[in-house]
Amino acid sequence: DGGTSKGDFYEAMNAAGVWQLPLLFVVANNQWAISVPRAAQTGAETIAQKAIAGGFNGEQVDGNDIIALHERISAALERARSGGGPQLIEALTYRLCDHTTADDASRYRSAEELEAQWQREPIVRLYRYLCAQGWWDEARDEALKAECAEQVEVAVKDYLGTEPLPPEAMFEHLYAELPAAYESQREQAAGRGDHG
């Protein structure tokens, strides 16, 4: 959501609106622009209404409701693909963790606020809904977790068993034909070139 206050976002919306591009902007409004609350980083009442400046449709969706979000994104994509021009969806959610490893979100939000938001966490919410409908249960959930854990373990073992590539391998898939400017760098990485 903080990125929607940057110039390149408005420029992209303007170009999309002028050219009626088949484009969908999805904004995850997690209520925080790093450590700044959304209300302090934009004067717009909603992020969705920023689409008005681009001349196209914007709407808010409960970003913690996976089913509603899927339905609204599907409809917006269909409109865009069928000539309806660009669309914007603001998915209202909440950032449950720190912004980065250098961030301490407890400095600017309360433990009570965070705990209340955990009750709306999307995966837990979907799990509860599926169980309430009789489409899922704890036993199937545990079996799926065990199957996924096993697949991850196999993938990790495969990866750890892979022979390391030589340093010059980083140049192998950059271009169909490596430009001359990079040839000396490849030679240096291979230990065959001038390192000065």
Side-chain angles (χ1 to χ4, degrees):
D1 51 295
T4 67
S5 292
K6 295 180 67 174
D8 49 0
F9 179 77
Y10 286 101
E11 292 164 13
M13 284 200 312
N14 186 62
V18 167
W19 295 327
Q20 286 296 287
L21 299 176
L23 178 65
L24 173 59
F25 294 88
V26 178
V27 179
N29 179 356
N30 68 22
Q31 312 304 316
W32 294 97
I34 305 180
S35 59
V36 177
R38 191 202 63 78
Q41 64 89 13
T42 183
E45 189 173 325
T46 71
I47 303 294
Q49 69 184 198
K50 291 184 177 193
I52 296 168
F56 54 88
N57 182 54
E59 65 178 303
Q60 278 188 331
V61 180
D62 181 350
N64 289 344
D65 183 338
I66 294 170
I67 296 168
L69 192 58
H70 180 271
E71 191 278 325
R72 298 315 305 149
I73 286 175
S74 297
L77 284 171
E78 180 58 35
R79 278 194 308 275
R81 289 172 177 156
S82 64
Q87 314 289 313
L88 183 146
I89 290 181
E90 174 187 6
L92 295 168
T93 187
Y94 190 86
R95 192 184 76 221
L96 296 168
C97 56
D98 295 335
H99 180 72
T100 66
T101 55
D103 182 36
D104 178 7
S106 66
R107 292 181 299 114
Y108 52 85
R109 65 181 183 195
S110 71
E112 295 77 24
E113 177 182 341
L114 183 59
E115 179 56 35
Q117 290 298 329
W118 269 108
Q119 300 309 308
R120 303 187 67 240
E121 194 276 333
I123 296 172
V124 171
R125 188 171 168 184
L126 180 62
Y127 173 81
R128 289 179 186 150
Y129 174 76
L130 293 173
C131 289
Q133 299 301 312
W135 299 333
W136 198 245
D137 57 48
E138 188 175 344
R140 285 158 58 183
D141 200 61
E142 290 303 318
L144 178 61
K145 287 177 186 175
E147 179 184 336
C148 291
E150 186 178 317
Q151 290 175 7
V152 167
E153 279 302 312
V154 168
V156 166
K157 284 180 184 174
D158 286 349
Y159 172 75
L160 292 175
T162 303
E163 286 293 319
L165 295 171
E168 66 271 20
M170 72 176 113
F171 293 94
E172 289 179 5
H173 303 289
L174 289 176
Y175 300 94
E177 195 172 312
L178 191 65
Y182 294 120
E183 197 60 52
S184 66
Q185 292 179 20
R186 180 171 61 185
E187 292 297 315
Q188 284 179 1
R192 295 186 297 262
D194 176 19
H195 296 277

